[in-house]
Amino acid sequence: MPAGRYAKAALEKLGSWAAAENKLAQAENVRAALALVARGEAPLGIVYETDAKVEPGVKIIGHFPADSHPPITYPVALTATAKPEADAYLKLLRSATAQVVLEKYGFTYLPKAGP
């Protein structure tokens, strides 16, 4: 789900969508919105915290409550035709080293789901 849908869901849940809808700058993606704010072309943006944390030109001024939008997840899985390199990459993502790095950048590491 794109960030804009999470933002809209959160603003609707908080009763602020009608007031904010016409004031939000629309961008093609989160990185484009982040760049607009970093360059001063937009005063505010709604982006993922993990993206904002690595952009020195912006300041995080608030967070949506976790229950104001659907959970944001990045699932990963191998396809039936995946190359061996993909399996190695997936194993790296599941490693303790990767968990530390992902958490450093604001991601919550979820345990392996499924078989």
Side-chain angles (χ1 to χ4, degrees):
M1 175 185 286
R5 291 188 192 156
Y6 291 114
K8 181 178 180 184
L11 289 168
E12 285 177 336
K13 176 123 184 199
L14 299 169
S16 300
W17 175 247
E21 181 178 12
N22 294 325
K23 295 177 177 79
L24 294 173
Q26 300 293 318
E28 185 177 327
N29 56 52
V30 169
R31 291 295 177 141
L34 193 60
L36 289 173
V37 177
R39 291 190 309 254
E41 296 176 28
L44 299 169
I46 299 174
V47 300
Y48 299 116
E49 180 180 12
T50 51
D51 290 316
K53 280 183 171 182
V54 297
E55 171 52 65
V58 301
K59 177 182 175 184
I60 298 171
I61 61 168
H63 297 88
F64 285 126
D67 66 349
S68 67
H69 55 80
I72 300 169
T73 60
Y74 295 93
V76 61
L78 294 174
T79 63
T81 59
K83 295 180 181 180
E85 297 85 8
D87 186 48
Y89 182 67
L90 185 58
K91 286 178 180 161
L92 171 69
L93 287 176
R94 291 182 175 148
S95 72
T97 301
Q99 181 176 351
V100 170
V101 172
L102 290 168
E103 289 176 349
K104 174 183 175 186
Y105 288 100
F107 292 93
T108 301
Y109 192 87
L110 300 176
K112 179 181 173 184

